[in-house]
Amino acid sequence: MKRIKSKTAIVAIVFSLAGPLSAGESLPIRNCTWCHGSSAQGFSTAPRLAGQREKYIENQLLSFSAHIRDNPLSQQYMWGATANLSPEAMRDFAAYFSSLPPKAANDGDPQLAAQGRAIYELGIAEANVAACLVCHGPNAEGIREIPRLGGLSHAYLKRRLEQWGQGFHAAAEPMPQITRALSPNEIDALASYLSFVAYESLE
Amino acid sequence: MKVIGLRLALPAAVLALVLSAPSRADEMGGPGFSSQELRAKLDYCKTCHGLSGQGYRGYFPMPRLAGQQPKYLENQLRAFYERRRSNPVMANVAHALSPSMVAALAAHFKDLNTNPIGGAPKEPVALGKTIYELGLPEANIPACSACHGPEAKGQGEIPRLAGQLFPYTVKTLGNWSKERGQGPAKDDTSFIMAATTHNLTQAQVAAIAAYVGSLR
């Protein structure tokens, strides 16, 4: 009896590490929360997944596994984490994480928040900076394949906006063109403002 | 030594002239702006309105500008700027444009020809076509084709509707009097559409939006 049990346990571990997941199996959430934080609110360099738009998460998982999202930390962590995920498992992870309530990181520079908000809502037409609101929503809530930005961490937002300018993740239309017009100070201001936008003030 | 120096210097100077001449001509994009400035502005419009002006579904729909009538496009930019048409984002965009830049942008978008982005429901298209071509006399709704043209390409200050985004047309017809003809009464072309939009039901609006959105 004992021997059989330990054998099934080993088989289960082997499958969860290497085998493609089918939709019926329960999701091995811990493969993700290990890095993304126990309630998926983000941890260290891994961004918050809780409350992110379902379609956006699915798209990102597909683009990690196809090596289209090639940011340095994506290559380092997410290429491996998605290497053995089936499309069904990606959909299941997307459905699960999008259903969790997100918390705001609140870790930006409060002094820059007003400037960031003005750029977010109105853009800077003289400098060809697009208003983010028209796509990401009045409360940075996102929609469909357009991500929620409200409450993501300052460091993650800043890194994402900077890395488009460095040529990474070039296929993520229209963000490469949009970030081209942003100065380092404007990026800092946007990331600061967005880190304070709370879920409670949203839907 | 001197001779050699001169010989070397001369072709170099000529070369510099030749190289700089076309680039200077390249900068002459039009009165008051360089061709780089025009290109940068077009790229800017297209981050929101789509890379080929086909429109884009963000949180809010960004209308198609490809093939739009230049006169209509210029009119609307002025309406945003004067806040007769309410949209804070486009008011800012329009604020940063000179009249000659507006004319150059309008000419560019007029010449773009791209397929509609689609995404409209299919079922109501037949009803939409009927209303578009014949109107609904009993409900006091004129045939749209009388002004917007049989192929919905528009003319002058009457806009092209062909290929327009479904959610944009639905929103526009549904909110007409809240978004257009705002502020102190002025001569404004938007009054032409006001009565028509009031008489249309939601289902009729959806039908027309689905029909014109499917036209190339």
Side-chain angles (χ1 to χ4, degrees), chain B residues 118-129:
Chain B
K122 300 264 182 304
E123 321 81 61
V125 166
L127 172 63
K129 183 172 162 57

Side-chain angles (χ1 to χ4, degrees), chain B residues 130-149:
Chain B
T130 306
I131 302 174
Y132 186 86
E133 289 174 350
L134 304 172
L136 293 166
E138 67 281 10
N140 235 337
I141 290 162
C144 322
S145 59
C147 290
H148 291 276

Side-chain angles (χ1 to χ4, degrees), chain A residues 105-160:
Chain A
N106 291 326
D107 60 353
D109 179 350
Q111 309 270 352
L112 293 177
Q115 185 198 350
R117 180 179 188 157
I119 302 172
Y120 184 86
E121 292 180 352
L122 293 170
I124 311 171
E126 296 73 24
N128 295 337
V129 173
C132 322
L133 162 146
V134 296
C135 288
H136 290 279
N139 294 304
E141 60 269 62
I143 187 169
R144 301 183 306 271
E145 75 285 358
I146 304 176
R148 179 194 297 281
L149 304 178
L152 287 172
S153 76
H154 174 265
Y156 175 70
L157 287 163
K158 184 163 173 284
R159 182 169 89 226
R160 278 289 261 161

